[in-house]
Amino acid sequence: MGIYLVDVGAEEWFSEDEDEEGHAEIAAGLNAELVRRGLPPYESVPVAAEFVRGSGQSFEEKMVPSMESFLALCRARLSDAETELLCGWSVLVPVSLDEEIELPVESSYSESTVIAGAPQVLVIAEKLAAAVALPLSEVPEMCDNLELTCWFLDGAAKELSAAAPGPWSEDLDASFYVALYLRAAQHSLRRGCPMIYS
């Protein structure tokens, strides 16, 4: 059990079958709002890729550590608006959005759905990554099978923090979430896919 952050393929995104976790209502609501804003609808969602470990074609990470220190880091380093944008969405899409879109559609953990743009989330995540000097060359980039979660929780991050300490190693829980949001936004943009909590 627990909360996972995963990507969504076209079949699931456009499916009206709620038993199969379809998101057609969210997809339609998003497109209506994009058109209202004079933007093209988001229709080029890729099909879910067949799982190949390390391919970077899918994304699945588990939100295991406490978020308390990460939220404290956000309060210290970000504005309230930036913190809300980074942490407040329920769906992330690879579309540039000047402001989030809220739909009156129930999502996995809320009575409404808040949609944020990956380009905007990426800028904020990069700001935090720079603030804690996250060792990006060492942090897993392909997150298709809990690579990031395992890297932080199974000892590799702790070993690196001993060999190459820095601000990032002072609080590995906070750094995990910095890396999680950074890699999620990067994956959404690279694959052109939505991201949701599951």
Side-chain angles (χ1 to χ4, degrees):
M1 297 298 290
I3 300 175
Y4 290 81
L5 181 55
V6 300
D7 60 357
V8 179
E11 306 92 332
E12 185 181 333
W13 182 246
F14 294 113
S15 172
E16 295 183 5
D17 188 345
E18 292 184 8
D19 291 336
E20 297 295 324
E21 298 188 357
H23 302 287
E25 193 174 1
I26 294 173
L30 169 63
N31 283 343
E33 183 61 24
L34 289 174
V35 170
R36 190 187 71 78
R37 295 183 182 192
L39 298 170
Y42 172 48
E43 296 175 339
S44 57
V45 181
V47 298
E50 185 175 333
F51 176 75
V52 177
R53 184 185 295 278
S55 69
Q57 296 302 295
S58 55
F59 189 103
E60 180 185 22
E61 294 293 349
K62 188 172 185 181
M63 302 174 75
V64 179
S66 166
M67 293 189 78
E68 189 174 334
S69 60
F70 171 68
L71 294 174
L73 173 66
C74 289
R75 288 191 294 270
R77 295 286 186 165
L78 304 175
S79 68
D80 290 345
E82 288 173 324
T83 299
E84 179 60 29
L85 178 57
L86 182 65
C87 305
W89 54 266
S90 43
V91 176
L92 187 67
V93 293
V95 176
S96 185
L97 298 173
D98 290 338
E99 58 184 30
E100 301 101 312
I101 293 172
E102 184 168 3
L103 302 176
V105 179
E106 188 174 340
S107 57
S108 298
Y109 298 95
S110 176
E111 293 183 357
S112 64
T113 295
V114 177
I115 304 170
Q120 286 73 26
V121 168
L122 178 60
V123 168
I124 299 170
E126 288 176 334
K127 181 176 179 178
L128 279 185
V132 300
L134 195 67
L136 295 177
S137 62
E138 301 292 337
V139 174
E141 187 173 358
M142 303 307 164
C143 303
D144 44 29
N145 190 35
L146 307 179
E147 276 84 0
L148 200 57
T149 304
C150 292
W151 192 81
F152 273 94
L153 298 184
D154 290 351
K158 195 168 289 186
E159 290 174 11
L160 182 64
S161 70
W168 75 277
S169 64
E170 294 169 8
D171 191 323
L172 293 181
D173 285 356
S175 291
F176 167 77
Y177 286 105
V178 173
L180 178 76
Y181 285 111
L182 177 73
R183 295 309 192 205
Q186 290 172 336
H187 179 82
S188 179
L189 291 169
R190 183 174 64 248
R191 282 276 290 148
C193 63
M195 311 289 292
I196 64 166
Y197 297 103
S198 174

